Amino acid sequence: MLTHPVTGAILAVDRYRPNADLRRLLHARDSRCRFPTCGLPPRTQDLDHTVDAALGGATEEGNLGGLCRRHHVLKHQTAWTVRQRGAGVLEWTSPAGYSYIDRPPSPVTFTVDDQDLDPPWEKDPAAPGF
């Protein structure tokens, strides 16, 4: 596991499937499918290796992007290609050779997963909504 030296954020793992921290980071960064003009939310995304893991692509933030199933299949079964340009920016190239830049939606927002919620018995009874 590779972590950021200052923040401790997980940047890469040495396996095919990203761990929970890396998935959460990518779902926050890619709050919609990263194919240009697609707006499906993270719950419907596959975390796709830009450079195929079978070809040596790392399971890390700079080689993963959230794609809906339709655009994930499109990437693998058509002449569309994608490359990472850094900072979450993806450059898509159509079969006709046209390039499209897709930037991560901003601002990046982190959401709470159901599994991250405190059980009701651990909440402060004085807190709003208890």
Side-chain angles (χ1 to χ4, degrees):
M1 183 175 344
L2 175 65
T3 58
H4 188 278
V6 175
T7 66
I10 294 178
L11 302 175
V13 292
D14 63 349
R15 58 183 179 218
Y16 175 74
R17 295 191 188 279
N19 64 19
D21 289 338
L22 188 52
R23 279 194 315 271
R24 187 167 184 242
L25 172 77
L26 291 164
H27 283 161
R29 183 192 77 187
D30 300 345
S31 61
R32 59 166 176 77
C33 172
R34 295 299 308 283
F35 188 83
T37 73
C38 187
L40 289 176
R43 287 184 288 298
T44 63
Q45 290 180 3
D46 298 334
L47 293 177
D48 176 60
H49 287 78
T50 303
V51 175
D52 195 329
L55 300 175
T59 301
E60 63 185 18
E61 179 186 1
N63 190 45
L64 292 167
L67 299 175
C68 69
R69 181 58 51 97
R70 176 181 178 206
H71 291 118
H72 190 177
V73 170
L74 177 118
K75 175 187 170 258
H76 287 286
Q77 295 184 357
T78 70
W80 279 90
T81 60
V82 63
R83 73 180 183 104
Q84 298 249 358
R85 297 184 57 165
V89 176
L90 302 181
E91 180 180 3
W92 288 87
T93 304
S94 75
Y98 295 103
S99 290
Y100 303 88
I101 301 297
D102 185 77
R103 300 183 192 294
S106 50
V108 171
T109 54
F110 287 88
T111 58
V112 176
D113 291 334
D114 290 341
Q115 65 193 9
D116 293 336
L117 295 174
D118 293 329
W121 58 87
E122 292 183 9
K123 291 189 183 239
D124 179 358
F130 182 77

